[in-house]
Amino acid sequence: AQSVAQPEDQVNVAEGNPLTVKCTYSVSGNPYLFWYVQYPNRGLQFLLKYITGDNLVKGSYGFEAEFNKSQTSFHLKKPSALVSDSALYFCAVRPYSGAGSYQLTFGKGTKLSVIP
Amino acid sequence: GAVVSQHPSRVICKSGTSVKIECRSLDFQATTMFWYRQFPKQSLMLMATSNEGSKATYEQGVEKDKFLINHASLTLSTLTVTSAHPEDSSFYICSAPERISGGPADTQYFGPGTRLTVL
């Protein structure tokens, strides 16, 4: 069975500084990896995904993530944090198991606080 | 990206009543939709997979007679919480994959969620 670990419950970063939200995964076979962001009392918004190809994936709002197969990691990064980036971030994995299989396994989430 | 809507956004009901939550894919068709439940400061827990034209698939521990799912069309799935009790109070979120390749690489898009409070 697949699993996702987000080792930090909370990450604090000063506005303008680079940010990293960590994610490691465990899955049989090739992973499909996703990052979502959730604002209070809202659903999840898709940020980016890794399917194949270039290990550095660029997504919405200036976010990017780097797939590292040897370390089974998919850390979310942004060069310069904004106060508006403060939210709850979820990493998710889906193994390739044939067409029609869409079930995602989520990490527990990391709360990002960007301090002005 | 694709848009998924949910209605209502929040609902308050008395214990013992039933509540229906709608999930719609607005600009794409979804033969499969997912229903999640999220407790405060916790991750999403998959409750069930809604399949258009067939029965929903429930995760272990989820009562199918309590959480009725109907996938009436390619753009609509409904979750009915029957005989609701205070412990059913939670944030319910639906999602639908946008079928680009028809496989697990497709992105799943989420609705804005429904806050259910059972008094």
Side-chain angles (χ1 to χ4, degrees):
Chain A
Q2 60 268 20
S3 65
V4 176
Q6 292 180 244
E8 302 155 316
D9 291 336
Q10 177 147 357
V11 170
N12 298 320
V13 63
E15 185 177 23
N17 283 4
L19 69 87
T20 299
V21 182
K22 295 179 180 178
C23 171
T24 59
Y25 66 90
S26 174
V27 67
S28 298
N30 296 322
Y32 296 120
L33 295 155
F34 302 78
W35 274 102
Y36 288 86
V37 60
Q38 184 180 33
Y39 296 96
N41 295 310
R42 301 294 299 276
L44 276 66
Q45 295 179 28
F46 170 71
L47 280 179
L48 51 81
K49 67 180 178 182
Y50 171 81
I51 303 302
T52 187
D54 195 349
N55 289 343
L56 184 63
V57 179
K58 294 186 182 297
S60 306
Y61 313 119
F63 284 94
E64 58 188 28
E66 186 168 9
F67 171 64
N68 187 317
K69 187 173 184 178
S70 63
Q71 297 184 5
T72 62
S73 67
F74 190 56
H75 301 330
L76 181 70
K77 299 181 180 182
K78 187 173 182 180
S80 179
L82 300 173
V83 173
S84 57
D85 293 329
S86 299
L88 190 57
Y89 290 81
F90 289 99
C91 181
V93 67
R94 177 192 298 148
Y96 180 78
S97 55
S101 176
Y102 300 100
Q103 184 172 330
L104 285 171
T105 298
F106 285 90
K108 63 180 181 178
T110 299
K111 183 179 179 181
L112 173 67
S113 293
V114 181
I115 303 164
Chain B
V3 179
V4 176
S5 70
Q6 271 183 252
H7 178 80
S9 59
R10 60 179 63 223
V11 57
I12 301 173
C13 69
K14 293 182 179 180
S15 184
T17 60
S18 294
V19 174
K20 180 185 286 189
I21 303 170
E22 292 185 347
C23 177
R24 294 182 185 274
S25 57
L26 296 186
D27 49 3
F28 66 103
Q29 294 182 334
T31 57
T32 302
M33 291 184 176
F34 296 92
W35 286 97
Y36 295 84
R37 185 172 177 176
Q38 186 180 29
F39 292 100
K41 299 183 179 180
Q42 294 190 26
S43 188
L44 281 72
M45 181 191 79
L46 179 65
M47 298 175 64
T49 303
S50 174
N51 303 298
E52 191 269 336
S54 64
K55 292 182 179 180
T57 304
Y58 290 84
E59 295 300 302
Q60 191 173 6
V62 177
E63 298 176 59
K64 61 180 181 180
D65 294 331
K66 180 168 187 61
F67 298 100
L68 300 179
I69 292 173
N70 182 22
H71 200 135
S73 73
L74 288 173
T75 58
L76 174 63
S77 174
T78 60
L79 169 68
T80 301
V81 183
T82 62
S83 186
H85 288 92
E87 58 265 29
D88 298 324
S89 298
S90 190
F91 194 54
Y92 293 87
I93 307 175
C94 70
S95 72
E98 185 181 29
R99 295 178 67 93
I100 301 300
S101 64
D106 292 340
T107 298
Q108 215 173 106
Y109 290 94
F110 287 79
T114 297
R115 174 73 61 190
L116 171 63
T117 303
V118 185
L119 302 176

